[in-house]
Amino acid sequence: MLLTLVNGAPVRDATCAISVEERGLTYGDGVFETMRLEANSVRFFDRHLARLRIGCDRLGIKAPEDPVLREDIAVLVRNQRDGVVKLIVTRGAGGRGYRPVPALTPTRVAILYPPNNNAAVNGVEVRWCTTRLARNRLLAGIKHLNRLEQVLAQNEWTEAHIAEGLMLDTEGELICGTSTNVFIVSDGALVTPDLQFSGVRGVMREQVIKLALSEGVAVEERPLRPDDLLAASEAFLTNAVRGIWPVVTLGDHRWPIGPMTARLNAALANAGI
Amino acid sequence: MLLTLVNGAPVRDATCAISVEERGLTYGDGVFETMRLEANSVRFFDRHLARLRIGCDRLGIKAPEDPVLREDIAVLVRNQRDGVVKLIVTRGAGGRGYRPVPALTPTRVAILYPPNNNAAVNGVEVRWCTTRLARNRLLAGIKHLNRLEQVLAQNEWTEAHIAEGLMLDTEGELICGTSTNVFIVSDGALVTPDLQFSGVRGVMREQVIKLALSEGVAVEERPLRPDDLLAASEAFLTNAVRGIWPVVTLGDHRWPIGPMTARLNAALANAGI
């Protein structure tokens, strides 16, 4: 960690900064964003803030005002060029039971990490995870703090050559990677799983859809099965920090880095923030 | 809070005691127990420790040894007669991504709260919650920290005369109350929902089943529907802190506090710890 703010103030000791009654800890009662700092600018910051607000609304958390969150991040990244910014907003600290105490003040935690090594110019190898995603419309799409499924899924493999694990929901639908969204190219169209029952509506997913539409590419959000992936002419993963990762290997299956993936990657590189 | 220990040590400032990288906060990556302290003894402590261990095993967390946890609680409740003891065990602090870092040391948080007012001698009124429980075998039964569904369910009502909300899973099966297990009496047998897809296997649920069997009562664990509850001759809720709560009102429906409920309540009062 390069710097940590809790409720806007730099903490001297990040190992000792959060309440034992913090509802983020006791119930996972909050949301988070993980963002890419590039040339002292948080990429797609407006979209991250918008998604955070959607998540808070869904959970009935009164999200801090945008200027408050913007100021947190401005202080966090001051004089920093590149890195990974994590922002957590919880319902606050207090209340032994599940019931939210109405008067709680949401907790803000902002952490700056060094940059990731994001390079995947030659594409990535992926695997199937056996951990399934539960289906619940109420929690689908938002980036809440109840992430045991993703933790267990990432715990399934240690091989360094596997960059990501693909996850199915309990009905066998292909939903996402453990920390990525998934896209395939099918009959010339860009297709990505419908996320009404599980998964996270990634900020990079949204940007890629927007870029594809602006390039005149047909985009479909619909339920996908593993066979749809295997039949696809191209496949790639998206993540706000990593951008677009072409998928080239899954077990015995190989894909080329196809023209659609290359085109969208170029469009993304040229896109504003 | 009367006292708080983090990793065995009393904390001077409980509002500032946990790491910002605590995985319990960032992912809900841990388990907890809520226990009843009565006459300086934690009721069913062995069973709580056993369930905590089952939960840790399921999540791949190396649970602290029992003597360590016993010592935590011994220190916590020293010279205290009655109260509510909460024990949280997480995978530990560290790692920006979902993937568990192998070398992490689990975090222990033990908190002593004043006693609840548990009296429900005349039975309780309950309601239906609209928040549904997702189905996932991997997380069902254990008391993990991913509790947004329960938080949202308890947020559905504020009326003080409603003691608990009943929850269905996404397939419409009756699973539990927001913080209780549910039992019905049907054709003289004690029936409680099968919890293979969701819900928590409560310590008090386990004790009530054991007591019923020792009294020669037939016990069934099977899927239940709301209609099964409405057709039941008796219904009650269980919780480690509250014991047995007879259900007497649900909307227009009324139940008496029946003979089975009274019998099990008496047996529980006479049971050891």
Side-chain angles (χ1 to χ4, degrees), chain B:
Chain B
M1 293 183 285
L2 300 173
L3 182 60
T4 301
L5 307 181
V6 174
N7 296 326
V11 295
R12 263 172 296 189
D13 182 359
T15 66
C16 203
I18 302 290
S19 171
V20 297
E21 291 197 299
E22 166 55 50
R23 295 178 63 93
L25 166 64
T26 52
Y27 304 128
D29 192 4
V31 296
F32 71 110
E33 296 291 328
T34 308
M35 303 172 277
R36 178 171 179 164
L37 178 69
E38 198 174 355
N40 193 241
S41 173
V42 176
R43 228 177 170 204
F44 308 120
F45 190 30
D46 290 353
R47 302 311 308 153
H48 282 287
L49 287 182
R51 181 177 61 176
L52 184 136
R53 192 162 299 281
I54 289 168
C56 285
D57 287 350
R58 186 93 69 82
L59 301 182
I61 294 172
K62 193 172 157 16
E65 297 297 328
D66 274 7
V68 172
L69 296 173
R70 286 183 189 282
E71 176 63 15
D72 281 0
I73 303 305
V75 171
L76 188 77
V77 307
R78 189 171 293 157
N79 303 323
Q80 296 288 339
R81 184 174 167 77
D82 300 311
V84 175
V85 171
K86 182 158 181 169
L87 175 62
I88 300 173
V89 172
T90 79
R91 199 182 305 271
R96 188 183 66 70
Y98 295 127
R99 188 185 305 279
V101 181
L104 291 186
T105 302
T107 303
R108 294 129 47 207
V109 178
I111 311 177
L112 179 63
Y113 291 94
N116 268 12
N117 178 359
N118 301 301
V121 287
N122 297 319
V124 297
E125 178 172 354
V126 300
R127 72 192 295 280
W128 293 112
C129 291
T130 57
T131 302
R132 297 292 182 102
L133 294 162
R135 292 160 68 101
N136 194 341
R137 285 178 186 274
L138 201 56
L139 298 178
I142 64 174
K143 202 166 168 84
H144 55 68
L145 293 171
N146 280 197
R147 291 293 157 206
L148 274 172
E149 292 168 334
Q150 285 74 22
V151 169
L152 294 177
Q154 283 208 0
N155 209 21
E156 288 185 35
W157 82 97
T158 54
E159 301 92 323
H161 61 98
I162 306 281
E164 177 61 303
L166 300 178
M167 299 187 75
L168 310 181
D169 72 8
T170 52
E171 299 296 315
E173 289 185 13
L174 170 63
I175 303 299
C176 55
T178 59
S179 63
T180 55
N181 288 114
V182 58
F183 287 84
I184 66 170
V185 178
S186 175
D187 295 328
L190 190 63
V191 189
T192 192
D194 161 80
L195 299 179
Q196 62 176 311
F197 293 113
S198 65
V200 175
R201 291 183 184 279
V203 163
M204 188 58 75
R205 173 183 186 271
E206 180 187 39
Q207 294 306 313
V208 165
I209 290 172
K210 194 192 291 183
L211 285 171
L213 292 171
S214 74
E215 298 253 323
V217 174
V219 180
E220 297 169 31
E221 295 180 58
R222 60 174 163 86
L224 288 179
R225 292 270 161 184
D227 280 352
D228 295 316
L229 171 63
L230 298 178
S233 57
E234 303 177 36
F236 62 86
L237 306 173
T238 62
N239 170 297
V241 173
R242 294 161 181 162
I244 291 174
W245 270 3
V247 174
V248 294
T249 304
L250 169 61
D252 295 335
H253 204 93
R254 298 284 182 282
W255 290 267
I257 300 179
M260 178 85 82
T261 305
R263 182 178 166 193
L264 290 170
N265 223 340
L268 180 64
N270 293 327
I273 61 157

Side-chain angles (χ1 to χ4, degrees), chain A:
Chain A
M1 291 182 286
L2 301 173
L3 183 59
T4 301
L5 308 181
V6 175
N7 295 326
V11 295
R12 263 172 296 187
D13 182 358
T15 68
C16 203
I18 302 291
S19 171
V20 297
E21 291 196 299
E22 166 54 50
R23 294 178 62 95
L25 166 64
T26 53
Y27 305 127
D29 192 5
V31 295
F32 71 111
E33 296 291 327
T34 308
M35 303 172 278
R36 179 170 178 163
L37 178 69
E38 198 174 354
N40 192 240
S41 171
V42 176
R43 224 172 173 212
F44 308 121
F45 190 30
D46 290 353
R47 301 311 307 153
H48 282 288
L49 287 181
R51 181 178 59 175
L52 185 135
R53 192 162 299 281
I54 289 169
C56 284
D57 286 351
R58 188 94 68 82
L59 301 181
I61 294 172
K62 191 172 158 18
E65 298 296 329
D66 274 5
V68 172
L69 296 173
R70 287 183 188 281
E71 176 64 15
D72 280 0
I73 302 305
V75 171
L76 188 76
V77 307
R78 189 170 294 158
N79 303 322
Q80 296 287 339
R81 185 172 168 77
D82 299 311
V84 176
V85 172
K86 181 158 181 167
L87 175 62
I88 301 172
V89 172
T90 79
R91 198 181 306 270
R96 190 184 65 69
Y98 295 126
R99 187 185 306 279
V101 181
L104 290 187
T105 302
T107 302
R108 293 131 45 208
V109 179
I111 311 177
L112 178 63
Y113 291 94
N116 269 13
N117 179 357
N118 302 300
V121 286
N122 297 319
V124 298
E125 178 173 354
V126 301
R127 71 191 295 280
W128 293 112
C129 291
T130 57
T131 302
R132 298 291 183 102
L133 294 162
R135 292 161 67 101
N136 194 342
R137 283 179 187 275
L138 202 55
L139 298 178
I142 64 174
K143 203 167 169 84
H144 55 67
L145 293 171
N146 279 198
R147 291 293 156 205
L148 275 171
E149 292 168 333
Q150 286 74 21
V151 169
L152 295 176
Q154 284 209 358
N155 209 20
E156 288 185 37
W157 83 97
T158 54
E159 300 91 325
H161 61 99
I162 306 281
E164 177 61 303
L166 300 179
M167 300 187 74
L168 310 181
D169 72 8
T170 52
E171 300 296 315
E173 288 185 13
L174 169 63
I175 304 299
C176 56
T178 60
S179 63
T180 54
N181 288 114
V182 58
F183 287 83
I184 65 172
V185 177
S186 176
D187 295 328
L190 190 63
V191 189
T192 192
D194 159 81
L195 299 178
Q196 61 176 313
F197 294 113
S198 65
V200 175
R201 291 183 184 278
V203 163
M204 189 57 75
R205 173 183 186 270
E206 179 187 41
Q207 293 306 313
V208 165
I209 290 173
K210 194 192 292 183
L211 285 172
L213 292 172
S214 74
E215 298 254 321
V217 174
V219 180
E220 298 170 29
E221 294 180 59
R222 60 173 163 87
L224 288 179
R225 293 269 161 184
D227 280 352
D228 295 316
L229 172 63
L230 298 178
S233 57
E234 302 177 37
F236 63 85
L237 307 173
T238 61
N239 169 297
V241 173
R242 294 162 181 161
I244 291 175
W245 270 3
V247 174
V248 294
T249 304
L250 168 63
D252 295 336
H253 204 93
R254 298 285 182 283
W255 290 266
I257 300 179
M260 178 86 82
T261 305
R263 180 177 168 194
L264 289 170
N265 223 341
L268 180 64
N270 294 327
I273 62 157

